[in-house]
Amino acid sequence: MAQHRKQRPDRWSAPRRARRAPVPAALRAAATLTLAGAASAAVLDGAALAEPEATLAEVEERVDALHREAEVATEAYHAATEAAGRAEEEVDRLRDRAARRTEELNAARRALGSQASAEYRAGGLPAGLALALSADPDDFLSRAGVVDRSGARQARAALDIEARLRGVEQLRAEAAERSEALADARERAREQREVVTDRLARAEDLLATRTARERAEVLREEGTGKTAGGGRAAPAAAPAVAANQRAGAAVAFAWGQLGRPYGWGATGPDAYDCSGLTQAAWRAAGVSLPRTSYSQAAAGARVPRSALAPGDLVFYYADFSHVGIYVGDGLIVHASRPGTPVRVAPVDSMPFTAAVRPG
């Protein structure tokens, strides 16, 4: 990602319109201009209205800003998508639990109903008449005790059904709440996707106004020459040796992706965005990282700039919106932005914020 520059007024934020003063009636009446004079006036007027062509430096600054905005929105999109995925899983889990509890509730209701019906049929005679008709009064009294106890069981069963019903209702309410969170997360993702699409399209429109050589100059990357101090990065033939096997595997994977194109939202194997590359690199080492650069910044132990080791994740900008993987010798490998492939860049080529050691 190109380094941060001092912003100039955004000349592309809104079209400029020249203001014409109202034409006095006296001048309107003096319509004696010759055809040649009118044509000359039109030429001069057109020159006054023409927008001066932007310099290459201005185009570069604006393209850099648009790509930065797109990257910030990209990571926000990933975060919203992750939130939507978690909410969707939670909704499915709650709905499954509610369905199981509902089936248990219905089974309990059916059992209670069957028991009540059977006891009603068995105990349909009044107690006095049943006692009078009973051949064995002692047997009647013992059965009457069973009926009483059965009534107590029915009462307990009814209370159990009521509790089950409240549980089902609670699960359904939680599922509805998570469904709202899911809808909100999906809306946030849609909005961020629109921001990304808009910023990248505007950057492409600006680049389309320049020659191929000028476009390459605008999109030149830190690893090909620019550094924060204006120096040039020394080319590296291979990454430095990592301190442990997992870090070495992550670095080797990232190094193997050099030259792959940047892809918005891509996690490989054909293209990557910044956090997609670091996630894939550490996945190759057997370590699972979150999807976004924000989350990856909390996925390990913080290390100071002076203690960087190959495999460490290096985060840039105050919002942690860009990440690369340190490969030693003061260099990182990163997927920077559209139009530039995965490449090597100096670790200080962007505003350093933090570093994390995964695993």
Side-chain angles (χ1 to χ4, degrees), residues 31-42:
T32 57
L33 290 173
T34 63
L35 182 60
S40 299

Side-chain angles (χ1 to χ4, degrees), residues 140-159:
F140 171 82
L141 292 175
S142 65
R143 286 189 290 109
V146 171
V147 171
D148 288 341
R149 290 194 298 275
S150 177
R153 286 197 301 271
Q154 288 183 358
R156 288 194 298 273
L159 290 175

Side-chain angles (χ1 to χ4, degrees), residues 274 277-278 311-316 322-326 332-335:
C274 70
L277 175 64
T278 51
D312 291 347
L313 302 180
V314 185
F315 298 89
Y316 297 95
H322 189 72
V323 60
I325 183 168
Y326 187 69
I332 63 166
V333 168
H334 71 147

